[in-house]
Amino acid sequence: MRSTVSVIKADIGSLAGHHVVHPDTMAAANRVLAEAKRQGIILDYYITNVGDDLELIMSHTRGELDTKVHETAWDAFKEATKVSKELGLYAAGQDLLSDSFSGNLKGMGPGMAELDIEERPSEPIAIFMADKTEPGAFNLPLYKMFADPFNTAGLVIDPTMNEGFKFEVLDVYEGQSVILNSPEEIYSLLGLIGTPARYVIRRVYRKADNMLGSVTSIERLNLIAGKYVGKDDPVLIVRLQHGFPALGEALEAFSFPYLVPGWMRGSHYGPIMPVSQRDAKATRFDGPPRLIGLGFNVKNGRLTGPSDLFDDPAFDETRRMAAMITDYMRRHGPFMPHRLEPTEMEYTTLPTLIEKLKPRFKKEEDVAKAKPSVYTSKDQGMD
Ligand code: F6R
Ligand code: MG
Ligand code: MG
């Protein structure tokens, strides 16, 4: 049976700052999704949050970019925003860039990943959702899951995986993509995806039969709106087992708390911390960037689950290391490389600062000429 899992997310406002979604806004979204399920638009759904992002997980048989499914998500975000405004939650409706819905959600603010597949007899999937980072943050774990035999034993052991995978990489600045084959082209692949702000792994396919293995959201809000309007906090869906990464191989890719951009004011690098749903709130310095993982089975377009995948002491050391890296990075204060490079900072006073100081910048030769009058003996404290 052909079915689709659509994960659509938006920040529609949060409690006490950009840190956690309020349960009443989730209840409002729930009413909309329950009604859509009653009408048969979607077959199943699950609502959660990571930090300030409201995450709608919906299953149906209507394919990608379906008007009715997207309209349902839009209505859910709108209803949640109403509650957000009533409660005076912070940044109510932040990610909804348009007033009216037209056709689908592309370019309208919400981020989305849609997995459109012919279901296998058992279809296990994992959905990863992160806050305080951007879509390219999934490049490193996707590479590990689908191309690195030190992470994924199946690449060596499972004959279907042994042929390798194809990576569809999107240049988010130019809006064009390229397919690169692993293992033959891994150096070229790494050459691109090592620049995650620009090159994002959008989809991975299994080479043996072209089966879709993963889908990432690719929306970068600041590129859509042309200015900072909020975070591009990403989602990722991965198909598991039987020729795809085993659940444990997919999770293993997150055992190292690598650095991602997007922390505090969208302008700092920090370690990604995999947590349970319970701990999915952004606190210290608005972070550190959080990741949750939910495991489901899809059957006849219905969802069984979830299992809260990082709610596990096996990830305690990863979290502890992330906390140590948090301390280490924070001690750099406003200095790079904790702070992002100016072009990637979400919003910044740097251009105005440079403009303001422009008249006070002097050429080196003029400084030399002016020296006697500028640096008087008095200034040097020699009087
Ligand atoms: C937003 C975020 C936060 C905010 C910060 C300042 O998702 O990551 O770090 O950027 O809290 O927010 P404002 O400018 O709204 O006061
Ligand atoms: Mg926010
Ligand atoms: Mg967020």
Side-chain angles (χ1 to χ4, degrees), residues 112-151:
M112 58 204 168
E114 297 190 282
L115 183 79
D116 185 21
I117 49 167
E118 193 60 45
E119 279 179 20
R120 297 171 291 167
S122 175
E123 188 59 68
I125 60 166
I127 301 176
F128 297 100
M129 294 156 273
D131 186 32
K132 311 302 177 212
T133 187
E134 62 182 25
F138 287 129
N139 283 0
L140 186 149
L142 279 170
Y143 178 83
K144 283 182 152 183
M145 284 179 219
F146 289 98
D148 179 4
F150 283 77
N151 181 89

Side-chain angles (χ1 to χ4, degrees), residues 253-282:
F254 294 104
S255 58
F256 164 61
Y258 58 101
L259 293 173
V260 295
W263 191 8
M264 182 49 88
R265 299 177 185 274
S267 302
H268 295 82
Y269 285 103
I272 193 146
M273 184 186 257
V275 292
S276 66
Q277 278 187 288
R278 200 174 47 251
D279 293 325
K281 51 185 180 183

Side-chain angles (χ1 to χ4, degrees), residues 11 17-19 52-53 90-91 94 131-132 228 230-231 233 262-267 282 285-287 347:
D11 179 345
H18 291 273
H19 97 294
D52 57 14
D53 293 300
Y90 193 65
Q94 174 193 276
D131 186 32
K132 311 302 177 212
Y228 174 79
K231 277 313 139 7
D233 306 313
W263 191 8
M264 182 49 88
R265 299 177 185 274
S267 302
F285 201 55
D286 285 355
Y347 51 150

Side-chain angles (χ1 to χ4, degrees), residues 35-336:
E35 177 57 21
K37 184 174 171 180
R38 204 190 56 74
Q39 290 180 14
I41 297 169
I42 55 175
L43 294 176
D44 223 340
Y45 69 92
Y46 185 79
I47 299 177
T48 188
N49 80 291
V50 54
D52 57 14
D53 293 300
L54 176 57
E55 313 272 349
L56 311 177
I57 299 170
M58 298 173 286
S59 60
H60 53 93
T61 53
R62 310 176 70 96
E64 278 180 83
L65 295 173
D66 178 74
T67 299
K68 283 216 145 53
V69 173
H70 281 213
E71 195 168 24
T72 299
W74 184 253
D75 290 345
F77 291 136
K78 280 285 188 198
E79 287 303 308
T81 299
K82 266 191 214 157
V83 174
S84 201
K85 286 189 172 152
E86 276 160 26
L87 298 178
L89 298 181
Y90 193 65
Q94 174 193 276
D95 286 357
L96 309 185
L97 301 182
S98 167
D99 288 332
S100 52
F101 178 79
S102 56
N104 66 56
L105 287 175
K106 260 189 168 172
M108 295 186 72
M112 58 204 168
E114 297 190 282
L115 183 79
D116 185 21
I117 49 167
E118 193 60 45
E119 279 179 20
R120 297 171 291 167
S122 175
E123 188 59 68
I125 60 166
I127 301 176
F128 297 100
M129 294 156 273
D131 186 32
K132 311 302 177 212
T133 187
E134 62 182 25
F138 287 129
N139 283 0
L140 186 149
L142 279 170
Y143 178 83
K144 283 182 152 183
M145 284 179 219
F146 289 98
D148 179 4
F150 283 77
N151 181 89
T152 298
L155 293 167
V156 179
I157 296 171
D158 181 326
T160 321
M161 299 180 79
N162 196 250
E163 284 189 40
F165 288 87
K166 294 197 261 187
F167 289 76
E168 181 188 326
V169 179
L170 175 73
D171 175 342
V172 292
Y173 283 85
E174 295 297 326
Q176 51 185 21
S177 55
V178 57
I179 303 256
L180 290 167
N181 292 304
S182 161
E184 314 86 284
E185 297 180 292
I186 55 168
Y187 299 150
S188 307
L189 175 64
L190 288 166
L192 296 185
I193 65 172
T195 309
R198 175 158 189 170
Y199 300 101
V200 178
I201 300 174
R202 189 197 344 221
R203 295 191 185 90
V204 180
Y205 298 91
R206 184 160 76 188
K207 253 200 229 150
D209 51 13
N210 277 325
M211 258 205 201
L212 181 61
S214 80
V215 193
T216 316
S217 61
I218 42 96
E219 289 73 23
R220 286 203 55 187
L221 274 171
N222 60 327
L223 295 181
I224 299 171
K227 60 177 171 39
Y228 174 79
V229 279
K231 277 313 139 7
D232 324 300
D233 306 313
V235 295
L236 161 70
I237 313 175
V238 181
R239 283 173 100 179
L240 305 167
Q241 307 288 157
H242 202 69
F244 287 119
L247 171 65
E249 289 167 337
L251 298 178
E252 179 66 9
F254 294 104
S255 58
F256 164 61
Y258 58 101
L259 293 173
V260 295
W263 191 8
M264 182 49 88
R265 299 177 185 274
S267 302
H268 295 82
Y269 285 103
I272 193 146
M273 184 186 257
V275 292
S276 66
Q277 278 187 288
R278 200 174 47 251
D279 293 325
K281 51 185 180 183
T283 54
R284 189 171 169 194
F285 201 55
D286 285 355
R290 304 283 164 125
L291 171 79
I292 61 167
L294 297 182
F296 291 94
N297 270 95
V298 188
K299 187 70 181 174
N300 298 330
R302 291 201 150 69
L303 298 168
T304 302
S307 167
D308 187 354
L309 298 169
F310 294 118
D311 184 14
D312 181 350
F315 281 92
D316 281 353
E317 284 307 300
T318 306
R319 289 188 274 266
R320 206 174 63 86
M321 194 188 283
M324 280 166 54
I325 297 168
T326 293
D327 278 334
Y328 174 82
M329 294 301 284
R330 282 301 303 125
R331 287 179 71 178
H332 292 80
F335 282 81
M336 291 171 70

